[in-house]
Amino acid sequence: SSGINAEYGGAVPIEGMDIRGIHSLGATENYAILPRFALYFELSDPVEIGTGAKISPDKETFFDVVSLADGKRTQFKFPSHNAMHIINSFERKNEAGQTEVVIDWPTIDTVEGIRNSNIFELLNRETLTDPNYSYQEHFPHYTKFTLRRFILNMETGEGTQYDYPRMWSPDAIEVEFPYINDNYRGLPYCYAYFQTWNHDAHNAMGLLKVDMCRETSIGWERKNKFPVEPVFAARPGAQDEDDGVVLAPVFDADTGKSELYVWDAKSLEVIAIVNTPIVVPYSLHGTWIPEDQ
């Protein structure tokens, strides 16, 4: 036995062969949120499934919100968007006292003009290492990202979205792999940490801290340093949401080695660098588990 107690909570019916790529889910105190974005699969090849992974602006966005209490499902529909990694989701009361489920995602700015493009043709080793390939020319959609908030009113069944202003420079970079203080998952929060990726600048990478409440940000980047997804670790006994450290392996292109960087989570100042015995490729996911867990 794994020791995991699981109970059936509800079901979301899928119409026909509308098979979407679902990479991460949302969860709050009372709801589970199943997203369906513009990434879909054509099952034309049962072996090379990745060749059927495509993005289309004709695919509307759906959020199916399932009550953890009784399995009741409420569906919300939005224009076509594409996103992979959720930032956070939480419940709140609006000015009318109605319950809203709020979900935040880093999304491609627009999927208009993407016509059934295979995502793996754009994000593969040959493309990423070709010094003459221009994403701005061939696939500009993947050079501009927008942090989007989807607000789902559980009492009226209406959904609205809010697009955050771009709080980074240059404008045309990928902002992805979000991480927050785990103590705030499923709850109202302010701070999120991201990896940034400038595809047309030799895939230069950095870190970004965004204050989702005040709409401000700070960043970190160094030449030839490639950090992976940042992970937040809270300081024991911390009172502030961003009181802790951010950790990430950083690949050094000059030495061909990786080091574990530790940043102050408030300022993104480097406070420690630890040698690692192995090379850690960028774009890997990570997590932080306290010793007592």
Side-chain angles (χ1 to χ4, degrees), residues 50-69:
T51 61
K54 300 181 178 181
I55 296 174
S56 172
D58 298 327
K59 299 290 187 180
E60 294 177 300
T61 296
F62 296 98
F63 291 106
D64 287 288
V65 183
V66 179
S67 169
L68 299 178

Side-chain angles (χ1 to χ4, degrees), residues 7-9 27-33 66-72 91:
E7 297 181 5
Y8 175 81
T28 67
E29 293 177 284
N30 297 295
Y31 299 98
I33 305 100
V66 179
S67 169
L68 299 178
D70 57 16
K72 179 183 177 182
E91 299 170 35

Side-chain angles (χ1 to χ4, degrees), residues 121-174:
E121 293 176 359
L122 304 162
L123 295 176
N124 56 41
R125 183 175 63 182
E126 289 74 19
T127 302
L128 292 172
T129 58
D130 183 351
N132 298 314
Y133 186 90
S134 169
Y135 275 81
Q136 295 247 29
E137 177 183 351
H138 297 287
F139 194 51
H141 306 80
Y142 225 78
T143 65
K144 283 194 175 183
F145 273 62
T146 296
L147 304 184
R148 285 197 164 99
R149 170 161 289 184
F150 299 92
I151 304 168
L152 315 178
N153 190 310
M154 298 306 300
E155 298 183 32
T156 67
E158 297 178 353
T160 57
Q161 81 177 50
Y162 171 72
D163 290 1
Y164 281 87
R166 288 194 182 88
M167 294 169 274
W168 51 80
S169 179
D171 181 71
I173 60 174
E174 179 179 351

Side-chain angles (χ1 to χ4, degrees), residues 55-272:
I55 296 174
S56 172
D58 298 327
K59 299 290 187 180
E60 294 177 300
T61 296
F62 296 98
F63 291 106
D64 287 288
V65 183
V66 179
S67 169
L68 299 178
D70 57 16
K72 179 183 177 182
R73 179 177 64 96
T74 306
Q75 186 177 90
F76 297 83
K77 185 185 299 185
F78 289 86
S80 183
H81 294 295
N82 199 61
M84 295 294 286
H85 304 103
I86 190 171
I87 305 172
N88 196 21
S89 54
F90 60 91
E91 299 170 35
R92 71 182 185 188
K93 295 288 186 180
N94 61 19
E95 294 181 351
Q98 300 166 328
T99 298
E100 295 177 333
V101 171
V102 179
I103 320 169
D104 294 335
W105 297 81
T107 69
I108 294 177
D109 183 54
T110 178
V111 295
E112 289 301 320
I114 303 179
R115 287 294 168 185
N116 302 314
S117 298
N118 185 298
I119 189 68
F120 296 108
E121 293 176 359
L122 304 162
L123 295 176
N124 56 41
R125 183 175 63 182
E126 289 74 19
T127 302
L128 292 172
T129 58
D130 183 351
N132 298 314
Y133 186 90
S134 169
Y135 275 81
Q136 295 247 29
E137 177 183 351
H138 297 287
F139 194 51
H141 306 80
Y142 225 78
T143 65
K144 283 194 175 183
F145 273 62
T146 296
L147 304 184
R148 285 197 164 99
R149 170 161 289 184
F150 299 92
I151 304 168
L152 315 178
N153 190 310
M154 298 306 300
E155 298 183 32
T156 67
E158 297 178 353
T160 57
Q161 81 177 50
Y162 171 72
D163 290 1
Y164 281 87
R166 288 194 182 88
M167 294 169 274
W168 51 80
S169 179
D171 181 71
I173 60 174
E174 179 179 351
V175 177
E176 249 287 9
F177 296 112
Y179 207 99
I180 68 169
N181 185 331
D182 285 320
N183 295 320
Y184 288 78
R185 292 199 182 277
L187 300 171
Y189 76 112
C190 284
Y191 301 109
Y193 301 85
F194 302 84
Q195 179 201 50
T196 61
W197 195 342
N198 190 337
H199 292 288
D200 285 337
H202 303 288
N203 292 299
M205 296 180 178
L207 297 185
L208 182 73
K209 175 187 179 181
V210 173
D211 186 331
M212 306 288 286
C213 298
R214 299 176 181 82
E215 299 189 357
T216 60
S217 71
I218 56 175
W220 178 94
E221 62 179 3
R222 297 292 184 273
K223 184 178 180 180
N224 293 334
K225 306 288 187 183
F226 297 84
V228 305
E229 176 187 40
V231 171
F232 179 89
R235 185 188 306 277
Q239 298 297 314
D240 294 339
E241 180 184 342
D242 61 345
D243 186 5
V245 296
V246 174
L247 306 99
V250 176
F251 176 72
D252 189 327
D254 292 326
T255 65
K257 298 180 179 180
S258 295
E259 298 170 311
L260 178 66
Y261 273 58
V262 183
W263 294 266
D264 183 296
K266 287 182 177 289
S267 64
L268 287 190
E269 293 183 4
V270 177
I271 57 178

